[in-house]
Amino acid sequence: MPDAPHLDGLNPEQLEATIHFEGPMLVLAGAGSGKTRVLTSRVCHLIHEHGVSPDRILAVTFTNKAAGEMRDRIGRLLGGDPKGMWVGTFHAIGARLLRRHADRLGWDRTFSIFDADQSLRLVKGVLESEGLDPKRWSPKGMRSEISNAKNQLIDAKTFVEDNDGTRDFFIRNVARVYPEYQKSLAHQNAFDFDDLLMKPVELLEANQDLLERYRERFSFVLVDEYQDTNRAQFRFVELMADAHHNLMVVGDDDQSIYGWRGADINNILDFEKSFPGGRTVRLERNYRSSQHILDAANRVIAENVNRKGKTLRTEREGGEPITLVEALDEADEARWIVDEMEARITTTAGLAYREMAVLYRTNAQARALEDGLRRAGVPYQVVGSVRFYERREIQDVLGYLRLVSNPRDQVAFDRVVNYPRRGVGLTTLEHLRRWADGAGLSMLEAAARADEAPDIRAAGSRGLRSFAELIQRFSVRAVQAGIGELLEELIEDLDLMRHLHEEGPDGEDRGRNVAELIAGALDFDAELVAGADDEIDTFTELDLFLQQVALVADVDRLDPSADAVTLMTLHNAKGLEFPVVFIAGMEEGLFPLTRAYDSADALEEERRLFYVGITRAEDKLALSWARQRRRAGDFTHNIQSSFLDAIPEQLLDERRTKRLSTLSHQTPHRRPRAYEMGESHFEPDPDPEYGMNQDAPRFVKGERVLHDTFGSGSVVEISGFGRDLKVTVNFDEVGQKKLLLRYAQLERDWP
């Protein structure tokens, strides 16, 4: 095809997927196989070769970063921005639809988007209003159950009906909380993250005219990371593509790792059933990793049964062997990793710290790794720690903006009404809340009329009225000024920098964070002017800014230009790549997690997560495990992960740390490979310190205990020893449960 730069360099499989025109297509894209290239090339081909207008294309991604990269690549290939094309995450696309049509659901377009913390606070408030003790009935557990229901498109009314008469007291209480939680969201003109997936489906299913309008507009739909879609996301895709079937989904069943938050691997496994007549193209040529790394990945994932099957290959023959290191404990493991990094920096020309990453299964593992890097003076960044937009000072400033945008946002009101202090205490707020409820007013409306409220003293009334006036003043400015200018004026009006600096040693850092927020807002203003489309005509700039902030993900905050080692969980590493990758904590009970053995599906998902970790590495992969590790305050004594059994010995360079090597009297705790175990039951070598390092049983038979989810009960049996200590509890409301004590987090139920 003449003058088609978007087709240059595509391999045969990539080309087949790119030039496909009409009808459903599944692209099974292995790790590092160029799936983003295929997606962008296909969009360019539709526009360049078939004359499809960009505004007829909908492309859905899973991260803001991926959406931005896709739009940039398409712009470069086409020589201009694809005006009118919708590119974004499922949540962003959902929010965009709701901004336009929320009134059909009873909301208005200035709605707030509650993040996980704000949603949790709201659940806790509903629990208390329903007379349920948050210490007994976990707000986090309640929030998770509601989230799961929404992702399955189960609304509050249906949830109550489905669980009518259930003997599960926890679910029975969720059925009390869910409807009230949803009512509170509506009262505050707010949606939570899960609503951004569920409500657009509800909107389209209930409004045939809207459904037909968007089906007609988006005649081509593309979906990335399809293996991670849940029921709500699947239904949204189905609704949008059902008329024309011009749907391309790109994904990898071997990288489906989000089942714990509702993703359904069957969406990709059953694609041909859902969209009959669809074609399947496999992208198996890997452009990232050496053959040694791919051989290990292929052997590991082949252990899974529930998969379509493919084999990654590369033209990069051989490569360094995979290092497998046995360490004494987590500090020894961290020390070896740091030493190996330093040695590689010294001996490998051009290698930088930013080209190395340490991946781990749980966030708790980061502490020892950070300690080791800090002691050695190695720069690092942690993805998934306290996010920038979750920092207290940033949330305070955003609270003001949220209230300016949505005066009914009570969570934002409660956060900032007395920050900085303006003489509005808890008692004053309680008086105001009672009066507002009785008068049918929002808290902000009541604050503006605080002098009419009984029982509120003059000082509190003045503070409330001045606060309401400030919000009103900035509501007017919000339609006149850019976000950067608005923020600068707000910070100056509040004299916030002075207040932050007076808070103590951390005040200066907090002030710098606020300054960074302003800088980001100014950049947002510039980008909006440069790339404005129909969005700015439909929404206010403040709405768009708050929406972007609410939907930012951990990985979107990763700074690839910083010359620093990256630390992150394996889940956060999805979609990234590094020349050198360390995977720490390769131990039974940690990776895979103990609970994964409860079901075959859970164990297969853990194995897919290991596969994802392996395939992040380009040139060098190192795996490490520790004989003992402190977890939740206790020492665990470990054997290496069973996942390692699948890796052929000829691919491995097995080592022990210097510290462990000096302890010659200790025998290795290496797990025998399957062919070594035969029919005999394997037990780890005895360790004389094993029993002494365990805490004594904390409970006795007959003792009353309290559990976050199951409530109160009596201990009826204690069995096992050390890390395998189990306790059987007869709970008052859910009956008998056998719990592994180190995970149960039981507390004494004091009379």
Side-chain angles (χ1 to χ4, degrees), residues 6 27 34-47 54 57-83 85-90 93 220-226 248-251 556 575:
H6 59 279
V27 179
K35 68 180 179 65
T36 304
R37 174 83 188 276
V38 168
L39 281 166
T40 54
S41 297
R42 172 164 167 76
V43 171
C44 292
H45 198 71
L46 289 172
I47 296 170
I57 299 172
L58 171 65
V60 190
T61 66
F62 262 77
T63 67
N64 297 307
K65 180 182 177 185
E69 287 178 351
M70 183 182 294
R71 182 177 283 276
D72 289 345
R73 286 194 190 190
I74 292 169
R76 287 196 300 271
L77 287 169
L78 292 177
D81 186 61
K83 291 282 187 180
M85 178 179 170
W86 281 26
V87 185
T89 65
F90 275 101
I93 297 294
F220 289 88
V221 179
L222 299 90
V223 183
D224 193 10
E225 303 288 4
Y226 188 67
M248 172 190 272
V249 301
V250 181
D556 295 324

Side-chain angles (χ1 to χ4, degrees), residues 54-55 67 74 92 101 111 159 163 181 192 198 236 276 300 323 375 561 576 598 673 702 709 719:
D55 64 6
I74 292 169
H101 310 294
F111 60 79
F159 189 90
N163 292 286
Y181 169 77
D192 64 20
M198 182 182 185
F236 177 78
V300 165
T323 301
R375 287 194 186 99
S561 65
L576 302 176
D598 291 343
R673 293 171 180 270
T709 301
S719 60

Side-chain angles (χ1 to χ4, degrees), residues 122-280:
L122 188 56
V123 168
K124 186 176 180 182
V126 173
L127 273 168
E128 292 170 344
S129 68
E130 289 292 303
L132 298 170
D133 184 359
K135 291 183 178 179
R136 183 173 183 182
W137 304 102
S138 165
K140 187 174 288 187
M142 292 265 178
R143 175 70 188 91
S144 177
E145 201 67 45
I146 292 170
S147 175
N148 289 338
K150 289 186 177 185
N151 287 330
Q152 294 298 316
L153 296 177
I154 301 171
D155 61 20
K157 181 174 181 292
T158 305
F159 189 90
V160 172
E161 292 171 352
D162 288 349
N163 292 286
D164 183 38
T166 180
R167 298 180 63 185
D168 188 324
F169 278 82
F170 181 75
I171 295 298
R172 188 180 298 179
N173 284 327
V174 174
R176 288 174 59 185
V177 169
Y178 186 3
E180 297 305 313
Y181 169 77
Q182 208 60 28
K183 286 178 186 175
S184 186
L185 282 172
H187 178 71
Q188 297 185 59
N189 191 37
F191 293 115
D192 64 20
F193 277 0
D194 300 304
D195 285 328
L196 300 182
L197 303 180
M198 182 182 185
K199 290 296 182 180
V201 171
E202 181 182 322
L203 177 74
L204 295 173
E205 288 183 334
N207 295 274
Q208 188 66 28
D209 61 320
L210 285 183
L211 179 57
E212 291 177 1
R213 183 199 307 181
Y214 284 106
R215 278 178 173 173
E216 183 178 352
R217 171 169 179 174
F218 296 120
S219 53
F220 289 88
V221 179
L222 299 90
V223 183
D224 193 10
E225 303 288 4
Y226 188 67
Q227 76 281 348
D228 292 328
T229 52
N230 58 32
R231 170 62 187 166
Q233 291 161 330
F234 169 81
R235 180 57 179 153
F236 177 78
V237 171
E238 186 179 47
L239 285 169
M240 297 299 282
D242 196 45
H244 50 68
H245 289 168
N246 294 329
L247 170 68
M248 172 190 272
V249 301
V250 181
D252 183 1
D253 53 317
D254 290 333
Q255 295 188 71
S256 180
I257 59 174
Y258 294 110
W260 53 276
R261 69 183 188 194
D264 186 353
I265 191 174
N266 291 309
N267 289 345
I268 192 168
L269 294 178
D270 296 338
F271 178 81
E272 293 89 349
K273 295 179 184 177
S274 302
F275 302 96
R279 294 171 59 188
T280 298

Side-chain angles (χ1 to χ4, degrees), residues 337-338 341 356-360 369 373 565-570 573 578 580-584 624:
I337 289 173
V338 172
M341 286 178 176
M356 295 187 282
V358 188
L359 313 180
Y360 36 82
L369 295 164
L373 290 163
V565 171
T566 299
L567 305 183
M568 65 174 76
T569 65
L570 285 143
F578 301 88
V580 180
V581 170
F582 299 83
I583 302 179
S624 60

